[in-house]
Amino acid sequence: MQYNYDFEIMSLVIFVVISGHFLLIRQFPTVKSKVFGRLLGVCLGECIANILSCIGLANAAIVPLIWNELFTFAFFALEGAASYLMFRYMEEVCSFSGVAGRMIKYMGKVPFFFFEIMLLATPWMGFFFYFKDGSYYQGNFAWFGYVYIGYYFFMNLLLIFLGRARIETRIKVIVILYSIVAVLMVVLQYERKEMLLTSAANMLFILMIFMAMQNPSAYIDSETGTSDEQAFLIQMKNVTEQSGKKVFLVVHIRQMHHIEMLLGYENSRRLLAEVGHYLTALCGKFCVSRNAEDTFTILLDEGKEEHIKGQIKKRFEQDFHVSGNSISLNEVMITLHYPRDFCSLAEYRALYGYLLEAAQNSGKQVFFEVDEAVKKDYYRRNKVEQAVDRAITENRFEVYYQPIYSLKEKCVVSLEALVRLKDEKLGAIPPDEFIPLAEQNGTITQISEIVLEECCRFLAKHVLPNPSLGIRTIHVNIAAAQCLNRNLKESILPVLERYYVPAHMITLELTERTAVEAPKLMLWHMQEFGKIGMGFAMDDYGSGNSNCSYLIRFPFREIKIDKDMTWSYFENPTAKIVIENEIKTIQKLGLPLIMEGVEKKEQSDALEALGVDMIQGYYYGKPMPETECLRYIRRMHSAKEDYGKS
């Protein structure tokens, strides 16, 4: 038979071109890319085997029989592998998991297994082909080869249908178009056996997915040339699914926002590119990922981390040069071992975030290795976060009340609501431990809502029916996250209305940080709440950067001097002068002043002589549970003995 080699030769040329491009321009080593590489190699081999086989059959008189048998066997083997690998590629594209993923894997492997068994037996049993008197003949089970190929056509279409919700339209078009063309070519090949079209169908599929789906720039960060976050997630998945040991070395540049302000956006990008190129040259392509604007992660084999850390340390001790500027970078290096330190992506991120937070206020170069002390602190933090979640779900937070004493009226006039947490597993958890965690993970808003609800219930049950208690307001701390919500008033008013609590009986306390994170929005909140009679108190005045500018910008109704400032007044002569001037300034503004942290009578007397309005501290009462606080106030104000019995 005289064969037509035109389509096979054309396919061979295209396979060679694609293979050269694929090998020269390395792609990120995903499972999908690895399967594509195998598929490309198999299709190239199949094309060559088909051409050689047909040349041998056409010249059987001069070609040894053993060569024809080998070429034919190789063609069948590679053709069967190509159909299976096309299915495997689509399986990776669709990314099925769980029971469905396992079933699909079996549905792909089983036919391939039977095909290979039958092919291995063919030289003896003649299932697919046999040679007689030097001539080639189809075996009795040659039809199985066509069914086998058709099965994988059908399976590819089935995968597209099952995964249609998460597959791009272009991929659907490629598979459907390939399936149609491939079926037509198989039919034409069956009818016109001299036309060699098998490799042409495979070439069409390879060409389309190479151009549309195997982009060499995929998984590459365009600014730094390192791998991107998606590539990092794939690497993490591969690591956690294997049994080997790996090291993740995180390099975090701490002052990038300052550098951007200094150099401008474009130059700061060039600086990051220089860092990325250095790390890639040091550690190898695809080993370095950029996880955030200022953070790179290096994946290493265990035992190599110390050398790499030493090299990075030496480089960062020298300046980086960008557009004539010499820049000194402050880096944090965090070493995390798998599986010693973490076993999942979530655990990795939590541990890394914990260590990065701990490094923020450290020196120029910071190196963190996870040891037992770090793990202990980290797991304590996790347990506290879980305790906070449980307390929110089960309503286990307690509200304590600390008296605010009026030096002029000689009585308690206000209370500050302070949240407390007692966990059945951890016991009492200090507020300065769980509140910062709640602020970081966002649960502080729910805690604040619980405290407000409890305060309104307390006012409705005990204070409103008993004016003789003399409590005019309860101070409730408000979180920064709440103030960023424009509907803050709409979230607070319904609680007051539910308990019939007048708005003026709630004073919202906020810190300097809360006020300055969104100053325009905060000013708007204060004006809106002022319309209904609810006021704001500046908490912890004197701490941080808080100063008189906040008194000018925001309409506070009360000012609370931080306890550290109060203690400094009595311990430091310089602080005494500064604080006396601050007190006089606040008094001239006509704002009521509350001094926190008063623990002794001498302190109270001295502050009273300065004209301080109110005092909050252990001398006039520590934070107390509801019942104890009521007893304390009754004793102080000589309230009626039958209070609370009705």
Side-chain angles (χ1 to χ4, degrees), residues 554-575:
F554 301 103
F556 290 108
R557 293 191 183 177
E558 290 180 331
I559 305 299
K560 299 184 74 175
I561 299 261
D562 179 62
K563 63 182 180 180
D564 291 332
M565 293 285 285
T566 300
W567 295 341
S568 296
Y569 176 84
F570 296 102
E571 297 170 359
N572 188 314
T574 302

Side-chain angles (χ1 to χ4, degrees), residues 172-435:
K172 299 175 187 176
V173 172
I174 288 172
V175 175
I176 293 172
L177 180 62
Y178 162 73
S179 299
I180 294 172
V181 173
V183 169
L184 291 176
M185 287 186 173
V186 168
V187 172
L188 184 60
Q189 174 84 74
Y190 185 80
E191 295 294 329
R192 302 280 301 275
K193 290 183 171 52
E194 74 278 6
M195 297 287 294
L196 302 181
L197 298 171
T198 305
S199 295
N202 293 343
M203 178 272 295
L204 179 64
F205 181 75
I206 290 288
L207 183 61
M208 286 191 295
I209 64 176
F210 180 73
M211 295 178 65
M213 297 158 63
Q214 288 299 130
N215 185 353
S217 63
Y219 307 108
I220 300 299
D221 179 66
S222 59
E223 291 184 341
T224 63
T226 64
S227 301
D228 60 14
E229 174 69 5
Q230 188 177 2
F232 168 77
L233 295 177
I234 292 172
Q235 286 181 321
M236 177 64 76
K237 181 175 181 291
N238 293 338
V239 168
T240 54
E241 288 178 351
Q242 298 169 2
S243 57
K245 296 180 180 180
K246 290 289 183 179
V247 176
F248 289 79
L249 178 60
V250 181
V251 180
H252 171 74
I253 304 171
R254 288 193 290 182
Q255 76 281 41
M256 274 310 303
H257 60 290
H258 295 305
I259 293 174
E260 187 170 326
M261 292 174 63
L262 176 66
L263 300 181
Y265 180 80
E266 291 299 328
N267 283 331
S268 67
R269 299 308 97 180
R270 292 191 186 100
L271 177 62
L272 284 171
E274 186 175 339
V275 173
H277 293 158
Y278 166 74
L279 294 176
T280 300
L282 175 66
C283 305
K285 193 173 183 180
F286 305 130
C287 292
V288 183
S289 303
R290 185 185 180 193
N291 305 98
E293 179 182 3
D294 50 7
T295 304
F296 298 89
T297 301
I298 305 169
L299 178 62
L300 301 168
D301 292 326
E302 195 171 55
K304 295 182 178 181
E305 65 273 15
E306 292 304 322
H307 170 71
I308 296 296
K309 284 162 64 176
Q311 293 298 310
I312 295 173
K313 180 178 181 295
K314 289 180 182 178
R315 178 63 187 89
F316 275 75
E317 286 174 348
Q318 306 170 20
D319 289 347
F320 285 81
H321 302 282
V322 177
S323 300
N325 298 289
S326 296
I327 305 297
S328 176
L329 296 182
N330 296 343
E331 83 280 12
V332 175
M333 280 195 277
I334 299 172
T335 309
L336 294 166
H337 296 255
Y338 175 86
R340 189 191 76 186
D341 299 332
F342 68 95
C343 295
S344 67
L345 174 62
E347 194 173 6
Y348 167 85
R349 282 183 163 163
L351 187 55
Y352 154 70
Y354 168 75
L355 293 171
L356 187 59
E357 179 187 340
Q360 292 305 312
N361 298 318
S362 302
K364 178 181 177 182
Q365 289 186 323
V366 184
F367 305 92
F368 273 105
E369 189 87 26
V370 178
D371 55 21
E372 289 305 314
V374 168
K375 284 187 177 181
K376 182 179 179 181
D377 290 342
Y378 166 70
Y379 287 120
R380 168 69 183 183
R381 173 175 174 153
N382 279 355
K383 290 177 182 178
V384 171
E385 287 182 333
Q386 293 169 11
V388 169
D389 290 337
R390 284 196 300 270
I392 291 173
T393 303
E394 301 171 8
N395 195 24
R396 290 193 175 191
F397 283 107
E398 296 182 57
V399 176
Y400 278 40
Y401 300 92
Q402 185 171 25
I404 299 175
Y405 184 83
S406 171
L407 291 170
K408 293 180 180 179
E409 301 177 50
K410 304 300 180 184
C411 62
V412 174
V413 293
S414 301
L415 302 170
E416 180 178 0
L418 300 166
V419 66
R420 296 291 184 265
L421 175 57
K422 293 179 182 177
D423 185 70
E424 58 183 6
K425 296 180 180 179
L426 302 180
I429 304 174
D432 59 1
E433 183 177 9
F434 73 81
I435 288 179

